[in-house]
Amino acid sequence: MKNQVYVFMGEGANYPAGIFESKEKAEEVIKRYSLTGILSLYPIDMLLYDWAIEKKYFDIKKEYQKSPKYIGQFSCASVDHFHYEEGVCVN
């Protein structure tokens, strides 16, 4: 889908190791290097925070959840994601 990308975060990484247009291309690279980490499907042109609210995966319940720091660090387990160990999908 054009409005989404796959983002690979290696184990213990602070930043993505790669961004891919397809799961197949991502898995080819993950397998080639026997990588361990998580491949997640992210929306393009919007924050994950807004996406989660729009999809009703997240409700703002506390005032701090509107803060720039919270929004900037927001993560959502509801995005499609796949776990890899040494290049093999384990979920």
Side-chain angles (χ1 to χ4, degrees):
M1 195 174 247
K2 290 272 186 204
N3 60 348
Q4 299 176 333
V5 292
Y6 287 90
V7 177
F8 181 76
M9 292 285 292
E11 184 176 47
N14 289 321
Y15 303 101
I19 299 173
F20 303 88
E21 289 188 43
S22 72
K23 184 179 178 203
E24 294 76 23
K25 182 63 176 174
E27 287 186 324
E28 176 186 311
V29 173
I30 292 166
K31 183 177 180 179
R32 180 183 335 137
Y33 292 106
S34 298
L35 299 176
T36 296
I38 299 174
L39 183 66
S40 302
L41 186 59
Y42 277 79
I44 296 175
D45 293 334
M46 71 185 312
L47 292 171
L48 196 55
Y49 177 86
D50 292 329
W51 176 86
I53 291 170
E54 181 181 295
K55 299 289 185 183
K56 302 194 183 322
Y57 293 131
F58 173 70
D59 258 342
I60 299 168
K61 293 186 172 111
K62 310 240 178 186
E63 194 61 31
Y64 76 87
Q65 294 172 329
K66 297 178 187 178
S67 74
K69 182 174 181 176
Y70 184 86
I71 295 168
Q73 295 178 346
F74 184 83
S75 182
C76 182
S78 295
V79 297
D80 287 345
H81 60 282
F82 309 90
H83 297 263
Y84 295 82
E85 291 180 13
E86 298 178 0
V88 177
C89 187
V90 293
N91 67 325

